Amino acid sequence: MESPAASADLFHAFADPSRLVILQHLRLGEHRVVDLTGHLGLAQSTVSKHLACLRDCGLVESRPQGRASVYSLAHPERMLDVLAAAERLLALTGAPAGAHDHGTEDER
Protein backbone atom coordinates (compact mmCIF):
# COMPACT_ATOMS: atom_id res chain seq x y z
CA MET A 1 0.00 0.00 0.00
CA GLU A 2 1.24 3.47 -0.90
CA SER A 3 2.12 5.89 1.87
CA PRO A 4 -0.51 8.34 3.06
CA ALA A 5 1.68 11.19 1.76
CA ALA A 6 1.74 9.71 -1.76
CA SER A 7 -2.03 9.25 -1.65
CA ALA A 8 -2.47 12.82 -0.44
CA ASP A 9 -0.33 14.08 -3.34
CA LEU A 10 -2.46 12.12 -5.79
CA PHE A 11 -5.71 13.45 -4.34
CA HIS A 12 -4.23 16.95 -4.36
CA ALA A 13 -3.83 16.59 -8.12
CA PHE A 14 -7.56 15.86 -8.37
CA ALA A 15 -8.49 18.70 -5.98
CA ASP A 16 -8.37 21.57 -8.47
CA PRO A 17 -11.28 22.01 -10.90
CA SER A 18 -8.94 23.20 -13.68
CA ARG A 19 -6.81 20.07 -13.35
CA LEU A 20 -9.93 17.91 -13.54
CA VAL A 21 -11.02 19.73 -16.70
CA ILE A 22 -7.56 19.16 -18.21
CA LEU A 23 -7.72 15.45 -17.33
CA GLN A 24 -11.20 15.14 -18.79
CA HIS A 25 -10.07 16.94 -21.95
CA LEU A 26 -7.04 14.68 -22.32
CA ARG A 27 -9.46 11.72 -22.38
CA LEU A 28 -10.14 12.89 -25.95
CA GLY A 29 -6.50 12.39 -26.93
CA GLU A 30 -3.15 14.15 -27.01
CA HIS A 31 -2.95 17.94 -26.79
CA ARG A 32 -0.29 20.62 -26.75
CA VAL A 33 -0.44 23.39 -24.14
CA VAL A 34 -1.59 25.85 -26.80
CA ASP A 35 -4.45 23.50 -27.73
CA LEU A 36 -5.56 23.24 -24.12
CA THR A 37 -5.41 27.00 -23.56
CA GLY A 38 -7.62 27.51 -26.61
CA HIS A 39 -10.11 24.80 -25.70
CA LEU A 40 -10.34 25.60 -22.00
CA GLY A 41 -9.93 29.37 -21.98
CA LEU A 42 -7.11 29.25 -19.44
CA ALA A 43 -3.83 31.17 -19.52
CA GLN A 44 -0.77 29.35 -20.85
CA SER A 45 1.02 29.70 -17.52
CA THR A 46 -1.98 28.21 -15.69
CA VAL A 47 -2.22 25.23 -18.02
CA SER A 48 1.54 24.64 -17.82
CA LYS A 49 1.49 24.80 -14.02
CA HIS A 50 -1.38 22.31 -13.80
CA LEU A 51 0.23 19.96 -16.32
CA ALA A 52 3.44 19.99 -14.27
CA CYS A 53 1.48 19.00 -11.17
CA LEU A 54 -0.32 16.23 -13.06
CA ARG A 55 2.96 15.01 -14.58
CA ASP A 56 4.69 15.01 -11.18
CA CYS A 57 1.90 12.77 -9.85
CA GLY A 58 2.24 10.42 -12.80
CA LEU A 59 -1.21 11.17 -14.21
CA VAL A 60 -0.05 12.67 -17.51
CA GLU A 61 2.99 12.21 -19.68
CA SER A 62 4.53 14.33 -22.38
CA ARG A 63 6.57 13.76 -25.48
CA PRO A 64 8.36 16.32 -27.63
CA GLN A 65 6.84 17.30 -30.94
CA GLY A 66 8.94 19.88 -32.70
CA ARG A 67 9.38 22.82 -30.35
CA ALA A 68 6.33 21.87 -28.28
CA SER A 69 5.38 19.06 -25.94
CA VAL A 70 2.33 16.90 -26.47
CA TYR A 71 0.48 15.75 -23.34
CA SER A 72 -1.61 12.64 -22.84
CA LEU A 73 -3.02 10.58 -19.99
CA ALA A 74 -0.37 8.27 -18.57
CA HIS A 75 -2.85 5.49 -17.82
CA PRO A 76 -6.04 6.23 -19.79
CA GLU A 77 -7.99 3.13 -18.76
CA ARG A 78 -7.28 3.60 -15.06
CA MET A 79 -8.04 7.33 -15.31
CA LEU A 80 -11.45 6.52 -16.78
CA ASP A 81 -12.00 4.10 -13.89
CA VAL A 82 -11.11 6.77 -11.31
CA LEU A 83 -13.29 9.46 -12.90
CA ALA A 84 -16.22 7.04 -13.21
CA ALA A 85 -15.79 5.96 -9.57
CA ALA A 86 -15.77 9.61 -8.49
CA GLU A 87 -19.00 10.24 -10.41
CA ARG A 88 -20.63 7.21 -8.75
CA LEU A 89 -19.49 8.35 -5.30
CA LEU A 90 -20.76 11.87 -5.91
CA ALA A 91 -24.12 10.46 -6.99
CA LEU A 92 -24.30 8.49 -3.73
CA THR A 93 -23.54 11.54 -1.58
CA GLY A 94 -26.25 13.60 -3.26
CA ALA A 95 -24.20 16.74 -2.64
CA PRO A 96 -23.88 19.20 -5.51
CA ALA A 97 -20.41 20.37 -6.42
CA GLY A 98 -19.20 23.25 -4.26
CA ALA A 99 -21.84 22.58 -1.59
CA HIS A 100 -19.33 22.39 1.23
CA ASP A 101 -16.88 24.97 2.54
CA HIS A 102 -13.71 23.00 3.22
CA GLY A 103 -11.59 25.90 4.43
CA THR A 104 -9.92 25.90 7.81
CA GLU A 105 -11.02 28.17 10.60
CA ASP A 106 -8.16 30.53 9.70
CA GLU A 107 -9.31 30.71 6.07
CA ARG A 108 -12.91 31.63 6.96
Side-chain angles (χ1 to χ4, degrees):
M1 182 171 165
E2 292 292 325
S3 74
S7 295
D9 286 345
L10 180 65
F11 282 106
H12 172 76
F14 290 115
D16 186 281
S18 294
R19 286 193 289 271
L20 285 175
V21 170
I22 290 169
L23 289 170
Q24 290 171 341
H25 204 73
L26 288 175
R27 289 176 10 182
L28 303 173
E30 295 182 325
H31 286 80
R32 297 172 300 154
V33 171
V34 68
D35 301 327
L36 291 168
T37 60
H39 293 302
L40 306 175
L42 298 171
Q44 182 273 328
S45 60
T46 301
V47 171
S48 293
K49 177 184 72 165
H50 288 312
L51 285 168
C53 173
L54 295 169
R55 188 181 57 242
D56 290 347
C57 290
L59 298 176
V60 301
E61 54 192 15
S62 65
R63 63 176 178 80
Q65 185 178 55
R67 295 173 60 190
S69 292
V70 178
Y71 290 85
S72 61
L73 296 177
H75 308 283
E77 299 82 16
R78 299 293 70 89
M79 182 60 63
L80 295 176
D81 291 345
V82 169
L83 294 174
E87 290 173 9
R88 288 191 304 272
L89 186 57
L90 285 171
L92 290 173
T93 67
H100 303 287
D101 177 19
H102 297 289
T104 65
E105 289 296 321
D106 292 338
E107 293 172 332
R108 292 185 198 149

PDB file of all heavy atoms in Angstrom, residues 59-83:
ATOM      1  N   LEU A  59       0.093  11.283 -13.558  1.00  0.00           N
ATOM      2  CA  LEU A  59      -1.206  11.174 -14.212  1.00  0.00           C
ATOM      3  C   LEU A  59      -1.166  11.504 -15.698  1.00  0.00           C
ATOM      4  O   LEU A  59      -1.989  11.011 -16.461  1.00  0.00           O
ATOM      5  CB  LEU A  59      -2.233  12.074 -13.510  1.00  0.00           C
ATOM      6  CG  LEU A  59      -2.504  11.726 -12.053  1.00  0.00           C
ATOM      7  CD1 LEU A  59      -3.449  12.738 -11.436  1.00  0.00           C
ATOM      8  CD2 LEU A  59      -3.055  10.315 -11.928  1.00  0.00           C
ATOM      9  N   VAL A  60      -0.220  12.355 -16.094  1.00  0.00           N
ATOM     10  CA  VAL A  60      -0.054  12.669 -17.510  1.00  0.00           C
ATOM     11  C   VAL A  60       1.409  12.473 -17.884  1.00  0.00           C
ATOM     12  O   VAL A  60       2.289  12.448 -17.025  1.00  0.00           O
ATOM     13  CB  VAL A  60      -0.501  14.111 -17.881  1.00  0.00           C
ATOM     14  CG1 VAL A  60      -1.963  14.340 -17.538  1.00  0.00           C
ATOM     15  CG2 VAL A  60       0.369  15.155 -17.244  1.00  0.00           C
ATOM     16  N   GLU A  61       1.633  12.310 -19.161  1.00  0.00           N
ATOM     17  CA  GLU A  61       2.991  12.213 -19.681  1.00  0.00           C
ATOM     18  C   GLU A  61       3.095  13.122 -20.892  1.00  0.00           C
ATOM     19  O   GLU A  61       2.078  13.516 -21.469  1.00  0.00           O
ATOM     20  CB  GLU A  61       3.342  10.767 -20.013  1.00  0.00           C
ATOM     21  CG  GLU A  61       2.376  10.084 -20.949  1.00  0.00           C
ATOM     22  CD  GLU A  61       2.590   8.578 -21.011  1.00  0.00           C
ATOM     23  OE1 GLU A  61       3.289   8.029 -20.143  1.00  0.00           O
ATOM     24  OE2 GLU A  61       2.048   7.966 -21.937  1.00  0.00           O
ATOM     25  N   SER A  62       4.314  13.451 -21.237  1.00  0.00           N
ATOM     26  CA  SER A  62       4.525  14.329 -22.385  1.00  0.00           C
ATOM     27  C   SER A  62       5.602  13.737 -23.272  1.00  0.00           C
ATOM     28  O   SER A  62       6.442  12.956 -22.836  1.00  0.00           O
ATOM     29  CB  SER A  62       4.922  15.731 -21.930  1.00  0.00           C
ATOM     30  OG  SER A  62       6.165  15.704 -21.273  1.00  0.00           O
ATOM     31  N   ARG A  63       5.529  14.144 -24.528  1.00  0.00           N
ATOM     32  CA  ARG A  63       6.565  13.765 -25.481  1.00  0.00           C
ATOM     33  C   ARG A  63       6.814  14.985 -26.354  1.00  0.00           C
ATOM     34  O   ARG A  63       5.900  15.775 -26.619  1.00  0.00           O
ATOM     35  CB  ARG A  63       6.154  12.559 -26.314  1.00  0.00           C
ATOM     36  CG  ARG A  63       4.960  12.780 -27.187  1.00  0.00           C
ATOM     37  CD  ARG A  63       4.659  11.551 -28.065  1.00  0.00           C
ATOM     38  NE  ARG A  63       3.473  11.791 -28.856  1.00  0.00           N
ATOM     39  CZ  ARG A  63       3.425  12.501 -29.977  1.00  0.00           C
ATOM     40  NH1 ARG A  63       4.519  13.053 -30.456  1.00  0.00           N
ATOM     41  NH2 ARG A  63       2.296  12.660 -30.633  1.00  0.00           N
ATOM     42  N   PRO A  64       8.063  15.165 -26.775  1.00  0.00           N
ATOM     43  CA  PRO A  64       8.364  16.316 -27.626  1.00  0.00           C
ATOM     44  C   PRO A  64       7.769  16.137 -29.015  1.00  0.00           C
ATOM     45  O   PRO A  64       7.710  15.034 -29.556  1.00  0.00           O
ATOM     46  CB  PRO A  64       9.896  16.334 -27.680  1.00  0.00           C
ATOM     47  CG  PRO A  64      10.316  14.970 -27.298  1.00  0.00           C
ATOM     48  CD  PRO A  64       9.233  14.369 -26.470  1.00  0.00           C
ATOM     49  N   GLN A  65       7.316  17.254 -29.556  1.00  0.00           N
ATOM     50  CA  GLN A  65       6.842  17.297 -30.942  1.00  0.00           C
ATOM     51  C   GLN A  65       7.282  18.644 -31.502  1.00  0.00           C
ATOM     52  O   GLN A  65       6.655  19.667 -31.229  1.00  0.00           O
ATOM     53  CB  GLN A  65       5.328  17.136 -31.023  1.00  0.00           C
ATOM     54  CG  GLN A  65       4.824  17.067 -32.467  1.00  0.00           C
ATOM     55  CD  GLN A  65       3.324  16.867 -32.518  1.00  0.00           C
ATOM     56  OE1 GLN A  65       2.576  17.650 -31.933  1.00  0.00           O
ATOM     57  NE2 GLN A  65       2.892  15.829 -33.206  1.00  0.00           N
ATOM     58  N   GLY A  66       8.366  18.621 -32.232  1.00  0.00           N
ATOM     59  CA  GLY A  66       8.943  19.875 -32.703  1.00  0.00           C
ATOM     60  C   GLY A  66       9.426  20.683 -31.516  1.00  0.00           C
ATOM     61  O   GLY A  66      10.140  20.176 -30.656  1.00  0.00           O
ATOM     62  N   ARG A  67       8.986  21.935 -31.450  1.00  0.00           N
ATOM     63  CA  ARG A  67       9.384  22.817 -30.351  1.00  0.00           C
ATOM     64  C   ARG A  67       8.408  22.755 -29.188  1.00  0.00           C
ATOM     65  O   ARG A  67       8.593  23.428 -28.178  1.00  0.00           O
ATOM     66  CB  ARG A  67       9.505  24.235 -30.866  1.00  0.00           C
ATOM     67  CG  ARG A  67      10.637  24.349 -31.891  1.00  0.00           C
ATOM     68  CD  ARG A  67      10.698  25.676 -32.569  1.00  0.00           C
ATOM     69  NE  ARG A  67      10.895  26.770 -31.631  1.00  0.00           N
ATOM     70  CZ  ARG A  67      10.803  28.042 -31.932  1.00  0.00           C
ATOM     71  NH1 ARG A  67      10.509  28.394 -33.166  1.00  0.00           N
ATOM     72  NH2 ARG A  67      11.003  28.970 -31.038  1.00  0.00           N
ATOM     73  N   ALA A  68       7.351  21.970 -29.318  1.00  0.00           N
ATOM     74  CA  ALA A  68       6.326  21.873 -28.280  1.00  0.00           C
ATOM     75  C   ALA A  68       6.370  20.493 -27.626  1.00  0.00           C
ATOM     76  O   ALA A  68       7.079  19.597 -28.074  1.00  0.00           O
ATOM     77  CB  ALA A  68       4.950  22.118 -28.891  1.00  0.00           C
ATOM     78  N   SER A  69       5.604  20.356 -26.581  1.00  0.00           N
ATOM     79  CA  SER A  69       5.381  19.062 -25.940  1.00  0.00           C
ATOM     80  C   SER A  69       3.920  18.695 -26.126  1.00  0.00           C
ATOM     81  O   SER A  69       3.043  19.559 -26.081  1.00  0.00           O
ATOM     82  CB  SER A  69       5.700  19.123 -24.445  1.00  0.00           C
ATOM     83  OG  SER A  69       7.074  19.313 -24.242  1.00  0.00           O
ATOM     84  N   VAL A  70       3.681  17.413 -26.316  1.00  0.00           N
ATOM     85  CA  VAL A  70       2.326  16.904 -26.467  1.00  0.00           C
ATOM     86  C   VAL A  70       2.010  16.090 -25.216  1.00  0.00           C
ATOM     87  O   VAL A  70       2.796  15.230 -24.814  1.00  0.00           O
ATOM     88  CB  VAL A  70       2.195  16.026 -27.729  1.00  0.00           C
ATOM     89  CG1 VAL A  70       0.805  15.460 -27.856  1.00  0.00           C
ATOM     90  CG2 VAL A  70       2.563  16.836 -28.968  1.00  0.00           C
ATOM     91  N   TYR A  71       0.867  16.390 -24.599  1.00  0.00           N
ATOM     92  CA  TYR A  71       0.484  15.748 -23.344  1.00  0.00           C
ATOM     93  C   TYR A  71      -0.631  14.745 -23.576  1.00  0.00           C
ATOM     94  O   TYR A  71      -1.503  14.935 -24.419  1.00  0.00           O
ATOM     95  CB  TYR A  71       0.020  16.799 -22.333  1.00  0.00           C
ATOM     96  CG  TYR A  71       1.162  17.649 -21.837  1.00  0.00           C
ATOM     97  CD1 TYR A  71       1.577  18.763 -22.548  1.00  0.00           C
ATOM     98  CD2 TYR A  71       1.844  17.314 -20.679  1.00  0.00           C
ATOM     99  CE1 TYR A  71       2.640  19.535 -22.111  1.00  0.00           C
ATOM    100  CE2 TYR A  71       2.906  18.077 -20.232  1.00  0.00           C
ATOM    101  CZ  TYR A  71       3.295  19.185 -20.960  1.00  0.00           C
ATOM    102  OH  TYR A  71       4.345  19.936 -20.520  1.00  0.00           O
ATOM    103  N   SER A  72      -0.579  13.668 -22.781  1.00  0.00           N
ATOM    104  CA  SER A  72      -1.611  12.638 -22.838  1.00  0.00           C
ATOM    105  C   SER A  72      -1.757  12.029 -21.445  1.00  0.00           C
ATOM    106  O   SER A  72      -0.900  12.220 -20.576  1.00  0.00           O
ATOM    107  CB  SER A  72      -1.246  11.560 -23.858  1.00  0.00           C
ATOM    108  OG  SER A  72      -0.040  10.926 -23.489  1.00  0.00           O
ATOM    109  N   LEU A  73      -2.838  11.299 -21.253  1.00  0.00           N
ATOM    110  CA  LEU A  73      -3.024  10.584 -19.993  1.00  0.00           C
ATOM    111  C   LEU A  73      -1.999   9.459 -19.912  1.00  0.00           C
ATOM    112  O   LEU A  73      -1.765   8.739 -20.883  1.00  0.00           O
ATOM    113  CB  LEU A  73      -4.432  10.001 -19.916  1.00  0.00           C
ATOM    114  CG  LEU A  73      -5.578  11.004 -19.882  1.00  0.00           C
ATOM    115  CD1 LEU A  73      -6.914  10.269 -19.870  1.00  0.00           C
ATOM    116  CD2 LEU A  73      -5.468  11.929 -18.679  1.00  0.00           C
ATOM    117  N   ALA A  74      -1.386   9.311 -18.752  1.00  0.00           N
ATOM    118  CA  ALA A  74      -0.373   8.272 -18.571  1.00  0.00           C
ATOM    119  C   ALA A  74      -1.001   6.877 -18.535  1.00  0.00           C
ATOM    120  O   ALA A  74      -0.422   5.929 -19.046  1.00  0.00           O
ATOM    121  CB  ALA A  74       0.415   8.531 -17.286  1.00  0.00           C
ATOM    122  N   HIS A  75      -2.168   6.774 -17.961  1.00  0.00           N
ATOM    123  CA  HIS A  75      -2.855   5.488 -17.820  1.00  0.00           C
ATOM    124  C   HIS A  75      -4.335   5.700 -18.143  1.00  0.00           C
ATOM    125  O   HIS A  75      -5.167   5.757 -17.230  1.00  0.00           O
ATOM    126  CB  HIS A  75      -2.685   4.937 -16.398  1.00  0.00           C
ATOM    127  CG  HIS A  75      -1.262   4.885 -15.959  1.00  0.00           C
ATOM    128  ND1 HIS A  75      -0.395   3.909 -16.399  1.00  0.00           N
ATOM    129  CD2 HIS A  75      -0.545   5.701 -15.148  1.00  0.00           C
ATOM    130  CE1 HIS A  75       0.803   4.128 -15.850  1.00  0.00           C
ATOM    131  NE2 HIS A  75       0.733   5.203 -15.101  1.00  0.00           N
ATOM    132  N   PRO A  76      -4.670   5.843 -19.410  1.00  0.00           N
ATOM    133  CA  PRO A  76      -6.037   6.233 -19.789  1.00  0.00           C
ATOM    134  C   PRO A  76      -7.132   5.337 -19.218  1.00  0.00           C
ATOM    135  O   PRO A  76      -8.148   5.852 -18.731  1.00  0.00           O
ATOM    136  CB  PRO A  76      -6.036   6.174 -21.317  1.00  0.00           C
ATOM    137  CG  PRO A  76      -4.619   6.089 -21.733  1.00  0.00           C
ATOM    138  CD  PRO A  76      -3.822   5.632 -20.561  1.00  0.00           C
ATOM    139  N   GLU A  77      -6.943   4.031 -19.245  1.00  0.00           N
ATOM    140  CA  GLU A  77      -7.987   3.130 -18.764  1.00  0.00           C
ATOM    141  C   GLU A  77      -8.229   3.316 -17.273  1.00  0.00           C
ATOM    142  O   GLU A  77      -9.363   3.355 -16.806  1.00  0.00           O
ATOM    143  CB  GLU A  77      -7.643   1.659 -19.059  1.00  0.00           C
ATOM    144  CG  GLU A  77      -7.489   1.344 -20.529  1.00  0.00           C
ATOM    145  CD  GLU A  77      -6.100   1.701 -21.077  1.00  0.00           C
ATOM    146  OE1 GLU A  77      -5.157   1.915 -20.279  1.00  0.00           O
ATOM    147  OE2 GLU A  77      -5.965   1.792 -22.296  1.00  0.00           O
ATOM    148  N   ARG A  78      -7.140   3.418 -16.513  1.00  0.00           N
ATOM    149  CA  ARG A  78      -7.278   3.599 -15.063  1.00  0.00           C
ATOM    150  C   ARG A  78      -7.866   4.967 -14.741  1.00  0.00           C
ATOM    151  O   ARG A  78      -8.633   5.111 -13.792  1.00  0.00           O
ATOM    152  CB  ARG A  78      -5.924   3.427 -14.369  1.00  0.00           C
ATOM    153  CG  ARG A  78      -5.300   2.055 -14.543  1.00  0.00           C
ATOM    154  CD  ARG A  78      -6.031   0.885 -13.856  1.00  0.00           C
ATOM    155  NE  ARG A  78      -7.300   0.491 -14.391  1.00  0.00           N
ATOM    156  CZ  ARG A  78      -7.521  -0.419 -15.367  1.00  0.00           C
ATOM    157  NH1 ARG A  78      -6.511  -1.021 -15.934  1.00  0.00           N
ATOM    158  NH2 ARG A  78      -8.739  -0.706 -15.762  1.00  0.00           N
ATOM    159  N   MET A  79      -7.496   5.991 -15.539  1.00  0.00           N
ATOM    160  CA  MET A  79      -8.043   7.327 -15.306  1.00  0.00           C
ATOM    161  C   MET A  79      -9.552   7.319 -15.520  1.00  0.00           C
ATOM    162  O   MET A  79     -10.303   7.911 -14.737  1.00  0.00           O
ATOM    163  CB  MET A  79      -7.383   8.351 -16.237  1.00  0.00           C
ATOM    164  CG  MET A  79      -7.877   9.770 -16.018  1.00  0.00           C
ATOM    165  SD  MET A  79      -7.591  10.401 -14.359  1.00  0.00           S
ATOM    166  CE  MET A  79      -5.823  10.366 -14.320  1.00  0.00           C
ATOM    167  N   LEU A  80     -10.004   6.635 -16.549  1.00  0.00           N
ATOM    168  CA  LEU A  80     -11.445   6.519 -16.782  1.00  0.00           C
ATOM    169  C   LEU A  80     -12.112   5.821 -15.605  1.00  0.00           C
ATOM    170  O   LEU A  80     -13.210   6.210 -15.192  1.00  0.00           O
ATOM    171  CB  LEU A  80     -11.718   5.775 -18.090  1.00  0.00           C
ATOM    172  CG  LEU A  80     -11.257   6.478 -19.364  1.00  0.00           C
ATOM    173  CD1 LEU A  80     -11.493   5.583 -20.581  1.00  0.00           C
ATOM    174  CD2 LEU A  80     -11.949   7.812 -19.537  1.00  0.00           C
ATOM    175  N   ASP A  81     -11.464   4.793 -15.055  1.00  0.00           N
ATOM    176  CA  ASP A  81     -11.999   4.096 -13.886  1.00  0.00           C
ATOM    177  C   ASP A  81     -12.140   5.053 -12.701  1.00  0.00           C
ATOM    178  O   ASP A  81     -13.156   5.053 -12.005  1.00  0.00           O
ATOM    179  CB  ASP A  81     -11.090   2.931 -13.476  1.00  0.00           C
ATOM    180  CG  ASP A  81     -11.078   1.786 -14.470  1.00  0.00           C
ATOM    181  OD1 ASP A  81     -11.965   1.721 -15.353  1.00  0.00           O
ATOM    182  OD2 ASP A  81     -10.153   0.947 -14.367  1.00  0.00           O
ATOM    183  N   VAL A  82     -11.102   5.844 -12.452  1.00  0.00           N
ATOM    184  CA  VAL A  82     -11.111   6.770 -11.311  1.00  0.00           C
ATOM    185  C   VAL A  82     -12.197   7.828 -11.483  1.00  0.00           C
ATOM    186  O   VAL A  82     -12.962   8.110 -10.548  1.00  0.00           O
ATOM    187  CB  VAL A  82      -9.731   7.436 -11.123  1.00  0.00           C
ATOM    188  CG1 VAL A  82      -9.802   8.593 -10.131  1.00  0.00           C
ATOM    189  CG2 VAL A  82      -8.703   6.413 -10.671  1.00  0.00           C
ATOM    190  N   LEU A  83     -12.284   8.420 -12.667  1.00  0.00           N
ATOM    191  CA  LEU A  83     -13.289   9.459 -12.895  1.00  0.00           C
ATOM    192  C   LEU A  83     -14.702   8.890 -12.802  1.00  0.00           C
ATOM    193  O   LEU A  83     -15.594   9.523 -12.244  1.00  0.00           O
ATOM    194  CB  LEU A  83     -13.052  10.141 -14.241  1.00  0.00           C
ATOM    195  CG  LEU A  83     -11.744  10.939 -14.340  1.00  0.00           C
ATOM    196  CD1 LEU A  83     -11.541  11.459 -15.758  1.00  0.00           C
ATOM    197  CD2 LEU A  83     -11.709  12.075 -13.332  1.00  0.00           C
TER     198      LEU A  83
END
